[in-house]
C-alpha cells in the first residue's frame, strides 16, 4: 500500500507543483524603461505587458523549456530561451531600437508615396480580417482603468465640491468574452476590484473596449460620432500617408506608415500604423486624436499590439494582445487625465457555441466577482501595479472602514453641508452619509413664481431620499403652495419606492389638493411662464385645481418587455385669472388670455368642474435589446430594433366619476448611428379615442408645443406649435426626426470650427381631423453650452410661422 501511495505521489508531483512566475524589467539601450511592451510565450495562450517602469510579470503553470518573446512598438522583437521550474525566474532584458529603412529610389514629382499602395492592399484585405478569418472566438480580457483629477473648482452652481485631487477611480476587472460573427457577443465579468470600495463593481466593459481598426468607423469611446479607420474603404478622403520605413521581424517585413489627417478637424487619427508585407494585416498601431475631433476630452491616444496565434500547424493568425487608451480632459473647471489598459489571453478561436448561447443578456457580473483576495489578483494580473496604484489601493482600502464609520461620515457631511450664499437661489442639499439619507430644499428660482391665476405664488417642495442596500431607495416629497392673489393654499404629498433594481421595479403614491396644467405633460415650466407673464404679457400657463389620489407601478416582465400602469381619482375644479393688472412691462396691443385654453377641436362634453377616475397602462417592447446585469441592477446597453410602446387609458364612469372614454396609442422610436455622419433619431406615433362619450378638456390628447424663445428638448415636442390649438379627442398622427451631424460639416468651416458646434436638422409633423396637417422644420447649431435653432412652420389653416429657439446647457 505504501508503494502504491508513493507511486501515485510521484505520478502526481508535476501537477501538484505551484505555478512559477517570470518577472523582470524591460529597458532600452539608454537604460530607460520600456512601457506597454507585449510579452508572450510561444505555445502558451496567454500574454502580459510592462508598466510605466518597464516591469512585467508572467505566470507559467507548468515547468519546462520555453521561448519568451518581448515585443514593443519601435523596438526589435527579442526572443529568449528560458527554463521554468518551481522557483520564480527573474529575467531583465534590453530591447534595441528598430530602424525603419527606406529604399534608395529616384522619385519624380508625380510619384505617389509607396505608403498609398500598401494602404490600398490593406483596404482590400480589411473585410476578410474583420469577418472571415475568425468566425468566432473566446478569450479572457483583463482591464485596468485609472482616472485622476489634477485641478478642481471649490464649488459649482452653489454646491460644494468635496472631491479631492489625485486618483478618483482605479479599477481592475477580468472578463470572459464570447464572440461570433456578425457582432454577437456575451461577456461575463468574473472578478472586479475597485479601489476603496470592496462592495462595488467595476464599470469596465471589455467587449466594447477594443478599437477595431478593421471597422470602417471606430473610436466611439473617444469621439461620439466615431473616427474613420486608416484602412477604411473611404480613408483616402481623410488621410495622407507617408512611408517612414521598413524593417524585418521574425521573417515578417513590417512597414511603418505615418498617418496625417487631411484636415485639422477631420475625424481621423494621427500617428503611425504598422502593416505586414504579403498578408497586409495590421501588426501594431500608435495613434492619437486631435482636440478638435473630440468634445469633452482634450487629447486621446491609442496603442495596440497584435501577436501570432497558431490556428493549425499550417495556419497562423494575428490576434489582439494589448491596448492602451490614454486621455486628458478640461471641463467645467475640472482638469485631469487617465488611461484604460486591456490585455487579451486564453484564446479559443474554434469554440462550439449552442444556438441559444447569445441571448438578450449580453453582459453579466458574477455575484462574488468583488470578493477576490490580493493573492488572486497577484497571480492573474498581467500588468504589475505602478507605485502610485499600489499606494492608492493601500490607502483607500485601509481608509474604507474608517470612511464608512459614523465619525468620519459626520465630518465629511459637515464639510459637504456647509451653506453657501448661492444656494439661496439654486437650492440646498443636506446629506447624512452614514444613514444614506439626503434632504433637499429648493432655491428661490423654484419657490417664487408668478401667474395670472395666483399672482405671486410660493411653491415649497422639499425632498427626502433614503437609500438602502442593493440600490433600493425611497423618496418622499411634500409640497405646500400659496397664491397671494387668489388667496388659496394648495398641498400634496408624493412618495416613490424603487424596490427591485434588477427588474427596474418601482411604485409611486401621490395625493392632495393641488394645481395641474391641462396638458398633463407640463407644457411650460413655471419659471419660464413667470418670465413671460411679467416681461412679455403672455400667460401661457393654463391650470385647474384638483383634489386627487394617484397610484403608479412599473416593472420589467421579461427582458425586453416592460409594463407601467397608473390610476387616478380626482375632483377637478376650474380656476379663473385673478391677477391681470400687474406686469413689469406693458406690451401695446396685447392682453392676458383666459385661463381656459383655446382650441380648434370639438368642445368638451364635460366642464372643468367634474369628477374623473381613469386607469391606464403602457407595454414597452425592446425586441432584440441587449442588457447588462449586475448583482444589484440591470440596464439596456444596445437595441437592435425600434422601441415600441402600446398605451391604453380608460375613463371609468362609476363611483361618482363623470368621464367615459377609451384612448389607445402606438409609439415607435429608434436611433441610428451613422458614423461620421452623426446620429439620426426618429419617432412616429398614432393614437385614437375609440370612444369619447364624456370628457373634460384635460382628458384630450395634448401635444408638447412651444411658444417661447427657449428650445424644448423633451422627446416628441414641437417648437412653434401652440400649446393647445391642436389638441384632439379623436385620432391623430405625429412624427419627429432629428439628424445630428456632429462636426461632419461645421468642422470644415473656418469661423465655426473653433467652437466645435454640431449641425442639427429637425422635422416635426402632426395630423388631426380638425386642422389637417401641420409641419415644422428647423436647422441649428449646438455646442456643449449653447444651442441656437431656426424653425419655420406650415399649417393648412393657419399662417406660416417662424422663430429662433435658444437652449442652454447647465
Amino acid at each position: 500500500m505504501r508503494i502504491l501511495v508513493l507511486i501515485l505521489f510521484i505520478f502526481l508531483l508535476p501537477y501538484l507543483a505551484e505555478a512559477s512566475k517570470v518577472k523582470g524589467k524591460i529597458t532600452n539601450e539608454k537604460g530607460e524603461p520600456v512601457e506597454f511592451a507585449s510579452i508572450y510565450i510561444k505555445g502558451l495562450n496567454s500574454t502580459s505587458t510592462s508598466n510605466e517602469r518597464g516591469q512585467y510579470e508572467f505566470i507559467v503553470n507548468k515547468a519546462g523549456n520555453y521561448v519568451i518573446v518581448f515585443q514593443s512598438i519601435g523596438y526589435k522583437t527579442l526572443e529568449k530561451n528560458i527554463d521554468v521550474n518551481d522557483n520564480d525566474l527573474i529575467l531583465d532584458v534590453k530591447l534595441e531600437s528598430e530602424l525603419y529603412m527606406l529604399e534608395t529610389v529616384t522619385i519624380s514629382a508625380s510619384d505617389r508615396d509607396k505608403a498609398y499602395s500598401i494602404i490600398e492592399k490593406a483596404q482590400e484585405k480589411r473585410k476578410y480580417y474583420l469577418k472571415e478569418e475568425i468566425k468566432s472566438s473566446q478569450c479572457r480580457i483583463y482591464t485596468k482603468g485609472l482616472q485622476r483629477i489634477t485641478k478642481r473648482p471649490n464649488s459649482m452652481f452653489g454646491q460644494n465640491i468635496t472631491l479631492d485631487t489625485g486618483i478618483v477611480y482605479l479599477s481592475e476587472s477580468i472578463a470572459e468574452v464570447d464572440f461570433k460573427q456578425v457582432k454577437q457577443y456575451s461577456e461575463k465579468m468574473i472578478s472586479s476590484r475597485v479601489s476603496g470600495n470592496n462592495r462595488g463593481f467595476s464599470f469596465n466593459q471589455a467587449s466594447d473596449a477594443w478599437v477595431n481598426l478593421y471597422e470602417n468607423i471606430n473610436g466611439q469611446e473617444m469621439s461620439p460620432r466615431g473616427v474613420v479607420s486608416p484602412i477604411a474603404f473611404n480613408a483616402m478622403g481623410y488621410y495622407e500617408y507617408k512611408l517612414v520605413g521598413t524593417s524585418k521581424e521574425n521573417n515578417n517585413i513590417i512597414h511603418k506608415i505615418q498617418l496625417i489627417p487631411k484636415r485639422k478637424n477631420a475625424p481621423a487619427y494621427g500617428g503611425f500604423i504598422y502593416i505586414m508585407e504579403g498578408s497586409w494585416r495590421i501588426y501594431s498601431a500608435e495613434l492619437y486624436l486631435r482636440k478638435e475631433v473630440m468634445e469633452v476630452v482634450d487629447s486621446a491616444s491609442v496603442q495596440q499590439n497584435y501577436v501570432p496565434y497558431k490556428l493549425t500547424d499550417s495556419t497562423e493568425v494575428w490576434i489582439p494582445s494589448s491596448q492602451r487608451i490614454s486621455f486628458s480632459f478640461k471641463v467645467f473647471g475640472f482638469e485631469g487625465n487617465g488611461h484604460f489598459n486591456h490585455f487579451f489571453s486564453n484564446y479559443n478561436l474554434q469554440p462550439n457555441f449552442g444556438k441559444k448561447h447569445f441571448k438578450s443578456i449580453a453582459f453579466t457580473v458574477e455575484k462574488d466577482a468583488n470578493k477576490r483576495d490580493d493573492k488572486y489578483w497577484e497571480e492573474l494580473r498581467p500588468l504589475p501595479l505602478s507605485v502610485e496604484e499600489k499606494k492608492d489601493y493601500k490607502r483607500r482600502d485601509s481608509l474604507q472602514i474608517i470612511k464608512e464609520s459614523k465619525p468620519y461620515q459626520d465630518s465629511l457631511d459637515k464639510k459637504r453641508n456647509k451653506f453657501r450664499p448661492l444656494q439661496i437661489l439654486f437650492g440646498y442639499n443636506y446629506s447624512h452619509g452614514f444613514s444614506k439619507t439626503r434632504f433637499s430644499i429648493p432655491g428661490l428660482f423654484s419657490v417664487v413664481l408668478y401667474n395670472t391665476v395666483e399672482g405671486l405664488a410660493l411653491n415649497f417642495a422639499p425632498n427626502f431620499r433614503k437609500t438602502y442596500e442593493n440600490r433600493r431607495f425611497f423618496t418622499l416629497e411634500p409640497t405646500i403652495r400659496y397664491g397671494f392673489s387668489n388667496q388659496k393654499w394648495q398641498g400634496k404629498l408624493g412618495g416613490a419606492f424603487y424596490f427591485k433594481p434588477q427588474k427596474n421595479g418601482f411604485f409611486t403614491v401621490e395625493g392632495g389638493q393641488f394645481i395641474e396644467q391641462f396638458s398633463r405633460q407640463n407644457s411650460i415650466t413655471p419659471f419660464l411662464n413667470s418670465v413671460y407673464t411679467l416681461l412679455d404679457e403672455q400667460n401661457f400657463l393654463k391650470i385647474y385645481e384638483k383634489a386627487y389620489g394617484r397610484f403608479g407601478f412599473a416593472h420589467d416582465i421579461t427582458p425586453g418587455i416592460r409594463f407601467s400602469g397608473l390610476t387616478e381619482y380626482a375632483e377637478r375644479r376650474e380656476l379663473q385669472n385673478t391677477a391681470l393688472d400687474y406686469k413689469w412691462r406693458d406690451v401695446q396691443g396685447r392682453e392676458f388670455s383666459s385661463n381656459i385654453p383655446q382650441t380648434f377641436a370639438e368642445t368638451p362634453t364635460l366642464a372643468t368642474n367634474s369628477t374623473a377616475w381613469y386607469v391606464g397602462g403602457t407595454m414597452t417592447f425592446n425586441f432584440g435589446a441587449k442588457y447588462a446585469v449586475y448583482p444589484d441592477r440591470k440596464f439596456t446597453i444596445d437595441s437592435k430594433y425600434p422601441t415600441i410602446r402600446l398605451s391604453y387609458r380608460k375613463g371609468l364612469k362609476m363611483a361618482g366619476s363623470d368621464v367615459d372614454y377609451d384612448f389607445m396609442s402606438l409609439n415607435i422610436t429608434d436611433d441610428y448611428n451613422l458614423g461620421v455622419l452623426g446620429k439620426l433619431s426618429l419617432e412616429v406615433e398614432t393614437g385614437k379615442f375609440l370612444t369619447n362619450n364624456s370628457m373634460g378638456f384635460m382628458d384630450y390628447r395634448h401635444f408638447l408645443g412651444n411658444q417661447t424663445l427657449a428650445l424644448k428638448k423633451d422627446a416628441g415636442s414641437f417648437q412653434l406649435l401652440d400649446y393647445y390649438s391642436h389638441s384632439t379627442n379623436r385620432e391623430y398622427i405625429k412624427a419627429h426626426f432629428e439628424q445630428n451631424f456632429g462636426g461632419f460639416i461645421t468642422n470644415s468651416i473656418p469661423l465655426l470650427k473653433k467652437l466645435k458646434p454640431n449641425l442639427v436638422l429637425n422635422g416635426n409633423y402632426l395630423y388631426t381631423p380638425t386642422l389637417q396637417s401641420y409641419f415644422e422644420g428647423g436647422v441649428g447649431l449646438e455646442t456643449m453650452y449653447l444651442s441656437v435653432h431656426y424653425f419655420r412652420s406650415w399649417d393648412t389653416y393657419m399662417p406660416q410661422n417662424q422663430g429662433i429657439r435658444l437652449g442652454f446647457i447647465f
Side-chain angles (χ1 to χ4, degrees):
M1 180 62 71
R2 291 181 180 178
I3 295 176
L4 181 60
V5 173
L6 180 60
I7 293 173
L8 184 61
F9 178 79
I10 294 173
F11 178 79
L12 293 175
L13 184 59
Y15 302 94
L16 298 174
E18 292 187 2
S20 299
K21 181 179 290 186
V22 181
K23 59 183 179 180
K25 186 174 183 179
I26 306 173
T27 57
N28 58 22
E29 303 100 315
K30 298 178 181 180
E32 300 168 336
V34 177
E35 65 172 322
F36 202 63
S38 289
I39 306 102
Y40 65 95
I41 291 180
K42 288 187 175 181
L44 295 185
N45 192 7
S46 57
T47 61
S48 183
T49 193
S50 58
N51 63 17
E52 68 272 15
R53 298 169 68 98
Q55 299 168 329
Y56 74 93
E57 293 179 355
F58 204 101
I59 297 294
V60 181
N61 293 313
K62 188 176 180 181
N65 296 316
Y66 298 96
V67 177
I68 186 169
V69 182
F70 299 87
Q71 177 185 314
S72 182
I73 297 175
Y75 295 93
K76 293 181 179 179
T77 299
L78 177 65
E79 295 185 1
K80 288 279 189 179
N81 293 313
I82 59 174
D83 182 15
V84 177
N85 49 42
D86 295 345
N87 300 317
D88 290 348
L89 175 63
I90 298 176
L91 178 63
D92 296 332
V93 298
K94 182 178 293 185
L95 299 184
E96 296 181 16
S97 296
E98 183 62 84
L99 298 178
Y100 289 88
M101 306 299 293
L102 279 172
E103 297 178 4
T104 303
V105 294
T106 302
I107 301 176
S108 66
S110 61
D111 286 342
R112 286 197 314 171
D113 192 289
K114 187 179 177 181
Y116 285 86
S117 62
I118 297 172
I119 291 296
E120 287 171 349
K121 291 174 182 177
Q123 287 176 320
E124 292 175 2
K125 297 287 287 185
R126 180 193 64 82
K127 187 176 290 187
Y128 171 76
Y129 292 129
L130 177 65
K131 296 182 178 180
E132 298 176 23
E133 183 180 53
I134 300 176
K135 298 291 187 180
S136 58
S137 66
Q138 288 179 309
C139 71
R140 174 173 288 186
I141 304 179
Y142 165 87
T143 302
K144 182 173 69 175
L146 181 146
Q147 298 176 41
R148 62 171 68 86
I149 289 179
T150 56
K151 184 180 178 180
R152 66 167 178 84
N154 293 322
S155 63
M156 180 180 292
F157 303 124
Q159 301 299 321
N160 299 322
I161 304 296
T162 59
L163 192 65
D164 293 329
T165 55
I167 294 178
V168 294
Y169 176 76
L170 173 60
S171 173
E172 298 174 277
S173 64
I174 297 176
E176 295 176 345
V177 179
D178 299 340
F179 174 80
K180 183 179 180 180
Q181 295 289 4
V182 175
K183 293 186 177 180
Q184 298 183 74
Y185 70 90
S186 66
E187 176 179 346
K188 179 169 66 175
M189 185 183 291
I190 60 175
S191 43
S192 169
R193 184 179 185 184
V194 180
S195 181
N197 185 2
N198 59 21
R199 288 193 295 273
F201 295 97
S202 171
F203 291 106
N204 305 332
Q205 189 170 338
S207 51
D208 285 342
W210 183 247
V211 179
N212 193 344
L213 297 178
Y214 290 113
E215 294 273 6
N216 284 316
I217 304 295
N218 51 69
Q220 286 86 352
E221 301 82 0
M222 298 167 289
S223 177
R225 65 190 183 110
V227 185
V228 177
S229 169
I231 61 172
F233 76 95
N234 59 343
M236 297 293 179
Y238 294 87
Y239 291 93
E240 293 179 358
Y241 303 94
K242 181 179 179 182
L243 180 61
V244 177
T246 300
S247 68
K248 191 171 184 179
E249 291 284 348
N250 293 331
N251 299 320
N252 292 310
I253 297 176
I254 310 298
H255 300 290
K256 181 179 181 180
I257 298 174
Q258 184 178 1
L259 307 175
I260 307 169
K262 283 190 172 182
R263 297 177 302 278
K264 190 176 181 181
N265 299 76
Y269 297 104
F272 302 92
I273 189 170
Y274 300 76
I275 303 294
M276 297 176 63
E277 175 84 18
S279 63
W280 311 113
R281 65 170 78 245
I282 298 172
Y283 176 77
S284 59
E286 45 184 345
L287 314 170
Y288 67 86
L289 286 175
R290 297 174 182 269
K291 178 180 179 180
E292 292 81 5
V293 180
M294 298 172 288
E295 294 184 2
V296 178
V297 178
D298 283 345
S299 66
S301 62
V302 182
Q303 286 181 268
Q304 291 183 344
N305 290 318
Y306 290 75
V307 295
Y309 179 95
K310 281 283 187 182
L311 193 60
T312 65
D313 291 340
S314 59
T315 305
E316 182 180 77
V317 298
W318 286 68
I319 54 178
S321 165
S322 57
Q323 174 181 271
R324 178 184 177 93
I325 298 178
S326 302
F327 58 89
S328 65
F329 60 88
K330 185 186 297 183
V331 61
F332 295 124
F334 290 92
E335 296 181 22
N337 55 68
H339 59 258
F340 282 90
N341 293 324
H342 311 281
F343 306 100
F344 304 78
S345 62
N346 293 22
Y347 273 99
N348 176 11
L349 300 187
Q350 295 175 317
N352 184 19
F353 298 127
K355 291 184 178 180
K356 297 183 179 180
H357 181 79
F358 297 96
K359 299 180 180 180
S360 60
I361 299 176
F363 177 82
T364 58
V365 179
E366 287 190 351
K367 183 178 180 181
D368 296 327
N370 57 0
K371 301 295 190 293
R372 314 300 186 187
D373 58 18
D374 289 342
K375 184 178 180 181
Y376 171 91
W377 286 104
E378 289 174 3
E379 291 178 351
L380 293 182
R381 180 187 291 124
L383 175 67
L385 295 175
S386 67
V387 174
E388 180 188 27
E389 292 164 348
K390 289 179 180 178
K391 288 182 178 179
D392 189 74
Y393 269 134
K394 184 176 181 181
R395 181 178 66 86
R396 287 176 179 264
D397 291 348
S398 61
L399 287 176
Q400 182 177 356
I401 297 177
I402 299 174
K403 286 186 175 182
E404 291 178 347
S405 66
K406 189 175 185 302
Y408 180 87
Q409 290 288 334
D410 290 345
S411 66
L412 188 63
D413 290 340
K414 185 177 180 181
K415 181 179 180 181
R416 183 167 47 209
N417 296 331
K418 184 179 179 181
F419 180 77
R420 291 178 177 270
L422 276 178
Q423 291 174 328
I424 296 176
L425 299 177
F426 294 102
Y428 173 74
N429 293 324
Y430 177 86
S431 300
H432 191 256
F434 187 74
S435 62
K436 297 181 179 180
T437 57
R438 185 186 69 194
F439 187 68
S440 301
I441 300 175
L444 290 179
F445 281 150
S446 300
V447 172
V448 181
L449 310 169
Y450 189 87
N451 60 71
T452 55
V453 174
E454 301 170 292
L456 177 66
L458 299 179
N459 189 92
F460 184 67
N463 180 276
F464 172 81
R465 175 173 172 143
K466 167 70 175 178
T467 303
Y468 304 93
E469 295 294 331
N470 299 325
R471 296 182 178 267
R472 296 175 302 127
F473 65 85
F474 167 75
T475 63
L476 189 67
E477 185 172 293
T479 304
I480 299 176
R481 185 182 182 108
Y482 182 72
F484 286 89
S485 179
N486 65 353
Q487 298 181 355
K488 272 198 171 188
W489 287 95
Q490 310 280 357
K492 64 178 179 178
L493 178 65
F497 183 43
Y498 190 63
F499 64 91
K500 201 166 187 178
Q502 277 203 333
K503 295 290 187 179
N504 290 311
F506 70 88
F507 65 81
T508 61
V509 179
E510 186 178 299
Q513 177 178 293
F514 213 72
I515 62 167
E516 183 163 303
Q517 297 189 38
F518 280 88
S519 64
R520 304 165 64 93
Q521 304 176 81
N522 290 336
S523 295
I524 186 171
T525 65
F527 175 78
L528 191 58
N529 178 76
S530 300
V531 172
Y532 270 83
T533 301
L534 293 171
L535 296 179
D536 204 40
E537 203 171 344
Q538 296 190 84
N539 55 326
F540 296 125
L541 185 76
K542 307 301 179 183
I543 55 178
Y544 66 97
E545 181 184 78
K546 67 178 183 179
Y548 71 103
R550 179 192 299 161
F551 175 79
F553 172 82
H555 199 276
D556 291 347
I557 300 175
T558 64
I561 302 178
R562 177 174 177 79
F563 171 78
S564 60
L566 184 69
T567 183
E568 179 184 283
Y569 189 93
E571 293 183 0
R572 310 182 296 199
R573 295 182 282 270
E574 184 178 302
L575 294 173
Q576 300 292 336
N577 289 325
T578 64
L580 299 176
D581 298 328
Y582 185 76
K583 65 199 77 170
W584 291 356
R585 174 173 170 261
D586 189 7
V587 180
Q588 188 175 0
R590 182 177 294 169
E591 294 182 357
F592 288 124
S593 60
S594 168
N595 184 51
I596 304 301
Q598 301 300 309
T599 180
F600 295 101
E602 297 177 1
T603 303
T605 54
L606 278 181
T608 303
N609 295 331
S610 59
T611 300
W613 181 17
Y614 74 84
V615 294
T618 298
M619 294 292 294
T620 302
F621 303 92
N622 273 316
F623 299 117
K626 299 292 185 180
Y627 295 89
V629 179
Y630 286 74
D632 55 356
R633 65 190 186 279
K634 183 186 79 171
F635 52 88
T636 304
I637 57 176
D638 189 22
S639 183
K640 186 177 180 180
Y641 300 105
T643 298
I644 300 173
R645 296 177 179 87
L646 182 63
S647 300
Y648 174 76
R649 189 173 82 242
K650 170 68 175 176
L652 299 171
K653 194 174 180 65
M654 60 176 65
S657 172
D658 302 314
V659 296
D660 182 11
Y661 64 87
D662 295 87
F663 171 74
M664 182 173 287
S665 67
L666 175 66
N667 179 281
I668 302 175
T669 59
D670 204 3
D671 294 325
Y672 300 90
N673 189 337
L674 304 181
V676 295
L677 292 178
K679 178 182 176 182
L680 173 64
S681 299
L682 297 175
E683 177 182 349
V684 178
E685 180 179 313
T686 182
K688 180 181 177 65
F689 282 88
L690 306 177
T691 62
N692 56 5
N693 301 321
S694 181
M695 300 176 62
F697 186 65
M698 63 284 290
D699 301 314
Y700 281 39
R701 176 61 168 100
H702 305 284
F703 306 99
L704 283 173
N706 186 16
Q707 296 174 250
T708 71
L709 187 63
L711 181 71
K712 204 170 190 66
K713 294 294 290 183
D714 304 86
S717 60
F718 297 81
Q719 300 300 331
L720 298 175
L721 185 71
D722 289 354
Y723 293 116
Y724 295 102
S725 63
H726 288 55
S727 300
T728 185
N729 64 345
R730 296 168 65 187
E731 65 271 15
Y732 69 91
I733 300 173
K734 74 185 190 83
H736 308 268
F737 87 86
E738 178 179 285
Q739 171 65 52
N740 189 324
F741 287 97
F744 177 71
I745 297 175
T746 53
N747 279 354
S748 59
I749 301 176
L751 296 178
L752 289 176
K753 62 184 181 181
K754 288 188 176 181
L755 298 175
K756 295 195 290 187
N758 295 334
L759 176 66
V760 179
L761 298 181
N762 298 88
N764 304 306
Y765 172 81
L766 175 64
Y767 166 83
T768 62
T770 306
L771 290 181
Q772 302 296 314
S773 295
Y774 168 90
F775 175 77
E776 60 183 33
V779 58
L781 296 175
E782 294 185 353
T783 69
M784 281 186 59
Y785 311 100
L786 174 68
S787 57
V788 181
H789 292 254
Y790 169 78
F791 286 90
R792 187 176 183 86
S793 68
W794 293 264
D795 197 310
T796 305
Y797 295 106
M798 297 182 67
Q800 297 178 359
N801 193 11
Q802 60 184 340
I804 300 293
R805 296 294 182 260
L806 302 177
F808 300 93
I809 302 173
F810 297 99

